[in-house]
Structures are given as C-alpha cells and as structure tokens.
Amino acid sequence: MAFLVSGTLRVAAQIADAQDSLGRKVVGGTAWPSSLPAPSRAPPRPTLALPSQGKYSVQGPRVALTLSSPEVSASTVAILESVFQTLGFERCQRREASVQDFLEELTGFREQLDAHGAPMGCVLVALVAPNGQLRQPQKLVRELSGCEALRGCPKVFLLLSSAPGAAPKPGTFLTGLSELCGRCPHWSLLQLLTEVFCRTAGESSGATCCPVLQSSLRGALCLGDVDPWGPEPEPSPSAQYDLSRDRAALFLAVIRDRPGAQRDVEALEGLCQTLGFETTLRTDPTAQAFQEELAQFQERLDTRRSPVSCALVALMAHGGPQGQLLGADGKEVRPEALVRELSHCRALWGCPKIFLLQACRGGHRDAGMGPTALPWFWRWLRAPPVTPSHADVLRIYADAQGNSSGGFMPGSCDQADILMVYAAAEGCVAYRDEKGSDFIQTLVEVLRATPEGDLLELLTEVNRQVCELDVRGPDCNERRKACLEIRSSLRRRLCLQA
C-alpha cells in the first residue's frame, strides 16, 4: 500500500510541475562558479516533456498597475489604460503617488496579489515619473519579483519618463505600442517592441536615440487576445537588418586562471566562422588593453574599404563586485564604456552591434524561488522546480512623450541598434567549468541549431536552457540558479544566418 501511495504521489507531483506558467522541458544539469575549481558535472535529472515548449501561457488573470507621480499628465495615464485594455488586462489599477512612495505602493500591490491565493497569468506595471526622478528602478522590480503569486509568470515593467504638465497628445512610443498590439496580436511582445523602437528612434547629434528593453524572459510572450500557440506572421524583408555586407567580430578573452575559457573561445570562433564573421582574437588583455583593442577595432572598421553590416564583440573575463571587467592585470574596466566606444563607430551607424559578456557581475549565488508552503509529502517526494529569482522580467525604458529613453537605463549610452547579453543577472555569479561556460556553450548550440531564427527570440531560448540548469559547486552543497540579462535597442529583426 505504501508503494502505491508513493507512486501516486509521484505522478501527482509530475502533473503539478507540468502546470508551470511557461510551457517547457525541465532539464537538469550543473554548472560551477567561474572563480572555483571545476569538478565533473552531475548527471541530468529525467526530463518531462511538456506541450508548447518555450512559450508562456497567460491564461490566468492579467493584472495591470499604473503608478504615476502628480506631475504626470492625465493624457499619458489615459493612453496607458488604453494600452492595457488592448493587451487584454482585465484588472487595471491606477495610483498616484510621489516617486519616493513608489516602493511602498508596490509592496501593497504585492501583498494584494499574494492574498488573492491563486497564480496570475501576467502582470504589467507602468511607472511614470518626470525625467530623471526614477533613479533606482531595480529596487522596484525586485520588490514585485519576490511575489509568490507571480512565480514563473511574466512580469512586464514600463518605466516611462514624462515631461511635467499636460501634453497635447501621447508620444510615439505609447501610440505605436497601442496600435501594433491591436493590429498584430500574434506577434510576441519582443517583436512588437522592436517595431515600436523603429518608429520611436530619433536622430540626435549623429547618433540614434532609442528606447531600451531589458529581458530575462524564458519564452515567447504573446499578450494578444488570440490563441497563444497559433502561427506567427512572417515579417516583411524591410523589417529585418540587411547583413549582406561584411561582418566583423572581436574577442577579448582573459584565459589565464579561467579554466574552460579556451573552450568558450574555440566554440565562438567556430560559430562566427560559420556565420561569416571575420574574427580578431586577443587573449589575456589588461584593463587598458580592453579599451585600446576596442578603439583599434573601431578604427579598422571606419577605415576599411568594404562596408560592414554587423559587428560582434565578446568580452570574457573575471568580473568585479559592481559588474566591472577585470583585465589580466587585475585592474577594472566598465563594460558600458566599451559599448559606448563602439557605438560611435561611423561605419556601424544603423547596423546591429552585438556584445556578449561572459563575466561575473557580483558574488551572489541565487538559490531561486520555489513555493513557500508545501505539505511534508511534497517536500519528501521531490523538490518542485525552482525559478531563478531574476527570471521572467521584461523592463522597457522609454519616454512617454518624446523619442529617447529619457536616461532611465543606468550606464546606457542611449543608442539604437545595440544588443548586450550578460551571462548573469546584476550582482550575480556567472558559471563556468573546464568544459566552458553555461552561457557561451548553450548560445553556440542554439545558434548552430537554428541560425535562421530571430536573435532576440533565440537568446530567450538560451536563457530558458540556462535557467533550467541546477548549479552546484565545491563551496556549496545546495543547488543554485543562473539567469541571463538581455538588453536591446534593436530596431529590426536580426538574423545571423550566413
């Protein structure tokens, strides 16, 4: 009898696991802190095949909240509510508060969701404040990310800067988002935002200012009032970057005292060769050499005879506690400064610029999020899937009236056509062993399998697979989780197939 009860409970546990909001396979495995020795990987857990892999199911309640400061115009709030209704959010709340009280308001909102007692389908929060007042949005995002009712659910944040006073009409970003959500309901939210960015971007002093999205989503997110698993329309050729000209790549990799780093370099070199990139490799650069090599790379692109249509820069090194890159000499360089350097390259104006950053961004090892209250027999049978604490979040930084992102993004150079991919969330460890890093090795596998895919969507798949890995190391016997961070101001679909 005990055997039958145990078997029944195991089946029930598997069924419960299948009800995760993201349709996906649960894949086990391990990776290791990049600063530690590299033991062998543990065998993966059995996989559980689920339908609709890689897409969020948002069939549960959708809740939206607008937090606006008193200086924000009523017309801006009104167009936001219209966008929410177009996206199918049936519960829309509106609160006016000073920016200093936003955190307290979000805490109350979180408690309200947890008291509801049932999981949500999706939540959308719009934070609207005058230019420059919303200085630390990370705290606001973290407050809601810890909500038990939202575990595994997509959480979308619109961080909008707004000029004080009444505005005669809503800005390009909000009107474009509202129109496209109604006209292209099959498109994923990342596709919609890319098109909106194309419409919103404005020229300024020889540079193109653009909104920015920051994503840790693990699957495609479709909020239109349609079957979320229906076929997506093919984008027109004009909606895609033209990569028919030359492609150039630069690898700056600290190999010394980083076991497995050479494997990452070799894997990326092979991938770039397949994708038609002309690659330059520099190993063990000092902090100053990071800057000098990137400046020389930019100069070569500006002076070459044949034009380039895409640039890829891979930065691989140890990371500092505040997200700095550490050169082979142990000195620091800010990755954002390197991005800003290449964004001024004349040969790359209007062309996609891809940055891959394989480095720690702090020392935190994420234990992930799981159900907080479970009967003893669930805990005894099998621990439920744990979600990385930073996963399933999409932030959009934009100007409610104007064209640029309003300076919301910390460290952002506020330029268009830039894609940055971090191997770890802010403040967290990036993992690597003697076989290479989880991020780079998974990236290469996914791009080799589907080189014709939209890069933003493929990176979301890479994040899904990385998030499903269980991480253990010699300094800790408990499982830890990792999560990518993707920042994009791309204005077109980006396909790297040669």
Side-chain angles (χ1 to χ4, degrees), residues 177-403:
L177 181 61
S178 178
E179 177 193 344
L180 284 170
C181 288
R183 186 163 58 86
C184 307
H186 282 89
W187 285 14
S188 74
L189 192 53
L190 292 184
Q191 284 181 299
L192 287 170
L193 289 170
T194 301
E195 176 64 25
V196 174
F197 287 6
C198 183
R199 298 184 180 191
T200 305
E203 300 291 335
S204 175
S205 302
T208 305
C209 299
C210 184
V212 178
L213 69 83
Q214 183 174 325
S215 172
S216 62
L217 296 180
R218 297 177 293 146
L221 175 58
C222 175
L223 295 177
D225 189 18
V226 294
D227 178 5
W229 320 130
E232 296 182 356
E234 287 294 328
S236 63
S238 61
Q240 185 167 309
Y241 283 106
D242 179 9
L243 301 189
S244 60
R245 295 169 292 175
D246 293 345
R247 310 177 186 192
L250 173 66
F251 297 169
L252 300 177
V254 176
I255 305 296
R256 188 187 312 158
D257 299 325
R258 296 183 67 243
Q262 184 63 42
R263 292 287 189 93
D264 283 348
V265 169
E266 293 169 355
L268 270 181
E269 278 188 314
L271 175 66
C272 285
Q273 182 179 4
T274 301
L275 296 176
F277 282 85
E278 177 186 318
T279 304
T280 301
L281 169 65
R282 297 290 183 266
T283 59
D284 294 325
T286 63
Q288 183 176 352
F290 266 99
Q291 296 177 314
E292 293 174 349
E293 290 291 345
L294 200 60
Q296 293 173 16
F297 181 64
Q298 174 191 336
E299 184 178 354
R300 290 196 299 270
L301 295 181
D302 279 336
T303 57
R304 64 185 291 156
R305 292 184 177 179
S306 55
V308 291
S309 55
C310 181
L312 185 150
V313 176
L315 306 172
M316 295 174 273
H318 285 301
Q322 303 300 322
Q324 313 95 321
L325 295 175
L326 302 182
D329 56 352
K331 296 183 179 180
E332 301 174 354
V333 60
R334 296 295 307 184
E336 290 82 7
L338 303 178
V339 174
R340 191 174 295 110
E341 180 76 28
L342 193 61
S343 67
H344 296 151
C345 179
R346 296 188 304 275
L348 291 173
W349 283 352
C351 300
K353 296 163 278 287
I354 306 166
F355 292 83
L356 308 177
L357 294 96
Q358 170 55 42
C360 293
R361 303 178 69 194
H364 176 63
R365 292 174 172 84
D366 184 14
M369 293 175 56
T372 55
L374 287 174
W376 66 269
F377 51 82
W378 290 98
R379 298 194 301 268
W380 171 64
L381 286 173
R382 182 164 77 81
V386 174
T387 304
S389 301
H390 301 270
D392 308 307
V393 175
L394 175 63
R395 310 184 210 176
I396 304 104
Y397 299 80
D399 192 307
Q401 275 90 31
N403 291 322

Side-chain angles (χ1 to χ4, degrees), residues 6 8 12 59 62 88 97 117 135 154 160 167 174 178 199 201 206 211 225 248 261 312 320 337 384 413 416 420 493:
S6 174
T8 302
Q59 300 305 301
R62 303 185 191 183
R135 300 181 185 278
L160 302 175
L174 289 178
S178 178
R199 298 184 180 191
D225 189 18
L312 185 150
C413 53
M420 298 177 65
R493 189 171 186 264

Side-chain angles (χ1 to χ4, degrees), residues 481-493:
K481 306 298 290 186
C483 179
L484 305 187
E485 181 182 304
I486 303 164
R487 296 184 185 181
S488 172
S489 61
L490 297 179
R491 296 179 294 160
R492 293 177 178 83
R493 189 171 186 264

Side-chain angles (χ1 to χ4, degrees), residues 91-110:
R91 302 180 186 177
C92 301
Q93 302 182 27
R94 173 185 175 184
R95 301 178 189 175
E96 185 177 287
S98 65
V99 177
Q100 292 76 14
D101 294 333
F102 276 12
L103 182 59
E104 181 180 349
E105 292 288 345
L106 272 179
T107 301
F109 183 60
R110 169 185 172 176

